[in-house]
Amino acid sequence: MKYKILVILLFLTTNIFAQKKTTTIHILNADKADYDERLGKDVQRLIGNVVMRQDSTYFYSDSAYYNEKTKFFDGFGNVHIKVNDSTDIYSRLLKYNGDTKFAELFHDVVLKDDSTVLNTEYMTYDRIGHLATYPNHGTITRNDKKLVSKKGYYRDDIKVVYFRKDVVGTMPDYKIVSDTLVYDTDNEMMYFYGPTTIYNKDNILYGNYGWYNTETELAYLDKRATLRNKEQSMTADTMYYNKKTGYAKALSDVVIEDTVNKAIVKGEFAELWKNNGKCMMTDNLRAIYYEEQDTLFATADTVYLYFDTLTNDIQRVKAFYNVRFFRNDIQGKCDSLHYVMADSTVYMRYEPILWAEDAQMTGDSINIVVKERSIDSLLMRPNAFIIQQDSIKGFNQVKGKEITAYFRGNEIDHLFNEGNAETIYWLRDDDTSLIGINFSQSATMDIIMRDKQISKIKSYNSIKETLYPEEQLKDNMEYLKGFFWKEDEKPKREEFVF
């Protein structure tokens, strides 16, 4: 492979190491031969079934003019050059220099080399360098592949085609548009050296440098590559994509955008399993979910996206390790987050914490139900704990086995606490003066919120309630067991700017 790449880089270099050796041109057949004095004493006119040979190459034409002294001849009508056992060239007019072994072919030019066929109106062929050149539009077909370009070169000894300017390749399942393309027909490899786009019915792949294996359908694109469909796009410095398996790998400065769900995810490494409906992204991960009302920022070590393979609609999102998110009205962190589109529920696991306004909410697990892009309710269980900083001093606290918080307009409207329900509430008068600290216990509680503060508590079964003046509080008495205020861990907006 390294040798082949070196050959491609030196493609336009003819065989500079070959010694120039003039050989005799033999006239093997002509129905009629004479000299035309008008053309010069050394010029023969050959008419009818002309066959000539130089070295192992044969030249056929209906008629020809041959200059024995300069070894230059013109061929007219049904021109055919049999270069070797595999390569043949056809045209209507030929000009050939037997000294330099250089041919010019005009009108309906066709070069055939095994399964490769080149069509153009004007072409030169250098026998020493095995190089065919067309300077103004040509078409190459090979089996089910067709490639056209403004300029092109073909080396029949190494079976490599070089296309330049306005390159378009069409195959049964895809199309390639490029600025510069090299086609290694032996290995069915295409190399790109300029802006290149590969189209198929499912997506579009774009890059500025790379290669494409037409047999395995594996593509490598570099210098900023993009894979996109109608709904999503993935861009990276470097990308591999296999059309057959639907697998893609993106490296360095990766950006995934979903226009339907209005989401952008950035990282340094991503993998896509299109046929399995899965995408993974990791390393320095950042995401934004943009809306008219607000924008959600998020980060994690690794994110998995699961989508419908037919519609490309995202169905689930899984984020793992150091998950953090920020929106103006809510912030959170955990080590595992799972969002299911079908039930519009976010599942937070492994030390989850939520902050809504000035309230901190924790539990072994937290489930958030989203309705019309806003929080409808959230469930904390077990070991549920809500802490809210009092407007002046102290902390209001709600604790229980299971707490359900119901939202209205992105603010907590009321809480339902069941199972060993406990509260500590700093009770204040209308002028904010402290009445006392209320301690209550019961089996269940219904807590009404107003203006982001506890307004009323309804307790049911096994009720215990005591109101203490502040001066009667003993050390740490104002904290429920398990209290831990984690304001310093709360995500800030500036953490997510990228």
Side-chain angles (χ1 to χ4, degrees):
M1 179 58 72
K2 288 183 178 179
Y3 167 75
K4 205 67 173 180
I5 292 173
L6 180 61
V7 170
I8 292 170
L9 294 176
L10 299 175
F11 184 84
L12 295 180
T13 304
T14 57
N15 192 354
I16 58 175
F17 300 105
Q19 292 183 355
K20 180 179 176 181
K21 183 179 179 182
T22 302
T23 54
T24 302
I25 295 177
H26 303 276
I27 301 173
L28 303 183
N29 186 74
D31 293 344
K32 181 180 178 181
D34 58 24
Y35 287 88
D36 190 335
E37 294 182 356
R38 293 173 300 174
L39 301 174
K41 63 178 182 179
D42 298 318
V43 178
Q44 291 190 65
R45 185 174 63 173
L46 308 173
I47 302 173
N49 299 310
V50 178
V51 182
M52 306 177 75
R53 178 179 66 83
Q54 185 180 35
D55 307 319
S56 60
T57 299
Y58 290 80
F59 301 85
Y60 303 86
S61 61
D62 289 343
S63 61
Y65 288 123
Y66 173 50
N67 190 317
E68 295 177 276
K69 186 175 182 180
T70 62
K71 292 185 171 54
F72 186 93
F73 72 80
D74 295 341
F76 306 94
N78 295 309
V79 174
H80 175 198
I81 304 176
K82 188 168 185 58
V83 180
N84 50 48
D85 291 339
S86 65
T87 305
D88 295 273
I89 305 174
Y90 304 88
S91 71
R92 285 195 282 149
L93 173 64
L94 164 69
K95 292 182 178 294
Y96 182 72
N97 188 326
D99 187 28
T100 61
K101 300 181 181 180
F102 186 84
E104 286 186 277
L105 299 110
F106 305 82
H107 312 306
D108 299 328
V109 183
V110 180
L111 182 151
K112 294 183 178 180
D113 187 6
D114 294 330
S115 299
T116 303
V117 180
L118 165 61
N119 294 86
T120 187
E121 282 300 301
Y122 171 74
M123 186 182 80
T124 64
Y125 183 73
D126 181 356
R127 285 186 55 220
I128 297 176
H130 297 275
L131 180 64
T133 303
Y134 60 87
N136 188 20
H137 190 78
T139 301
I140 284 187
T141 57
R142 179 174 172 80
N143 300 324
D144 57 356
K145 305 174 189 66
K146 179 181 177 181
L147 296 103
V148 299
S149 66
K150 188 172 182 180
K151 295 181 179 181
Y153 310 86
Y154 179 61
R155 285 279 297 269
D156 64 87
D157 55 340
I158 58 174
K159 314 298 183 186
V160 174
V161 193
Y162 178 95
F163 299 93
R164 184 76 177 92
K165 292 187 178 181
D166 303 329
V167 186
V168 179
T170 55
M171 295 76 177
D173 297 326
Y174 59 94
K175 181 173 79 171
I176 296 176
V177 177
S178 181
D179 175 74
T180 304
L181 186 151
V182 175
Y183 181 20
D184 178 355
T185 62
D186 266 355
N187 296 305
E188 289 298 331
M189 293 290 295
M190 294 183 181
Y191 299 88
F192 313 121
Y193 297 92
T196 301
T197 305
I198 302 174
Y199 301 86
N200 63 56
K201 64 178 183 179
D202 296 322
N203 49 52
I204 297 173
L205 183 62
Y206 172 85
N208 290 286
Y209 174 86
W211 49 258
Y212 182 71
N213 188 316
T214 63
E215 289 188 337
T216 64
E217 298 190 55
L218 175 64
Y220 163 80
L221 288 172
D222 202 357
K223 297 182 179 178
R224 214 61 193 150
T226 299
L227 175 67
R228 71 173 183 267
N229 55 40
K230 292 180 180 179
E231 298 83 14
Q232 293 92 19
S233 68
M234 180 166 67
T235 302
D237 288 343
T238 301
M239 189 179 300
Y240 294 87
Y241 176 64
N242 190 309
K243 179 179 173 294
K244 284 185 177 179
T245 63
Y247 173 78
K249 180 166 67 174
L251 302 95
S252 182
D253 196 11
V254 184
V255 180
I256 295 177
E257 183 169 6
D258 187 321
T259 57
V260 174
N261 294 287
K262 297 182 179 179
I264 299 174
V265 187
K266 295 188 177 185
E268 294 300 319
F269 180 83
E271 288 183 283
L272 168 70
W273 297 267
K274 175 68 171 64
N275 297 346
N276 297 326
K278 183 171 72 172
C279 178
M280 183 276 292
M281 197 166 182
T282 188
D283 195 1
N284 195 27
L285 198 62
R286 294 289 186 273
I288 60 172
Y289 183 78
Y290 51 94
E291 303 174 354
E292 292 182 5
Q293 302 89 343
D294 204 348
T295 300
L296 175 70
F297 299 87
T299 183
D301 287 352
T302 304
V303 167
Y304 285 88
L305 305 175
Y306 299 86
F307 55 89
D308 187 292
T309 56
L310 296 177
T311 64
N312 294 318
D313 293 337
I314 295 177
Q315 298 174 323
R316 291 180 294 144
V317 178
K318 288 185 176 181
F320 297 99
Y321 312 119
N322 301 315
V323 182
R324 298 170 64 83
F325 58 87
F326 174 93
R327 201 172 72 174
N328 286 331
D329 57 348
I330 192 166
Q331 302 82 42
K333 60 170 290 188
C334 61
D335 250 9
S336 173
L337 184 146
H338 186 190
Y339 179 32
V340 180
M341 304 294 185
D343 59 10
S344 297
T345 302
V346 178
Y347 301 88
M348 298 176 66
R349 299 293 184 268
Y350 301 104
E351 300 183 357
I353 309 176
L354 274 179
W355 291 269
E357 298 297 340
D358 55 354
Q360 172 186 295
M361 295 165 279
T362 59
D364 290 355
S365 68
I366 299 177
N367 297 347
I368 307 172
V369 178
V370 180
K371 186 176 181 181
E372 295 179 354
R373 299 184 180 270
S374 297
I375 299 174
D376 180 72
S377 62
L378 61 88
L379 172 66
M380 296 157 277
R381 61 183 300 271
N383 300 315
F385 208 130
I386 298 178
I387 305 172
Q388 183 186 47
Q389 198 162 22
D390 181 65
S391 58
I392 297 177
K393 180 181 180 181
F395 295 90
N396 298 320
Q397 300 154 61
V398 181
K399 180 182 177 182
K401 286 185 177 180
E402 183 176 297
I403 298 176
T404 305
Y406 298 92
F407 283 70
R408 178 180 294 178
N410 288 324
E411 292 183 6
I412 299 174
D413 182 68
H414 69 280
L415 304 166
F416 187 70
N417 185 1
E418 56 184 329
N420 300 328
E422 298 179 74
T423 65
I424 293 180
Y425 175 49
W426 291 63
L427 187 62
R428 295 187 179 276
D429 209 340
D430 292 340
D431 61 358
T432 71
S433 60
L434 182 65
I435 298 172
I437 299 94
N438 184 70
F439 292 77
S440 62
Q441 295 179 333
S442 63
T444 60
M445 292 181 184
D446 199 1
I447 304 170
I448 309 302
M449 305 289 293
R450 291 294 179 267
D451 298 325
K452 303 178 185 179
Q453 297 292 324
I454 295 175
S455 173
K456 184 185 296 184
I457 300 176
K458 296 180 181 179
S459 301
Y460 305 93
N461 301 325
S462 306
I463 301 171
K464 294 181 181 180
E465 189 169 359
T466 307
L467 182 66
Y468 290 92
E470 184 178 9
E471 59 270 15
Q472 292 184 13
L473 293 179
K474 298 178 182 179
D475 291 343
N476 295 324
M477 185 178 174
E478 69 270 31
Y479 303 113
L480 291 174
K481 185 178 179 181
F483 176 94
F484 203 118
W485 183 243
K486 300 183 178 182
E487 179 71 17
D488 58 333
E489 297 182 25
K490 184 177 180 180
K492 309 281 190 303
R493 185 185 184 96
E494 52 267 24
E495 297 177 37
F496 300 91
V497 176
F498 59 94

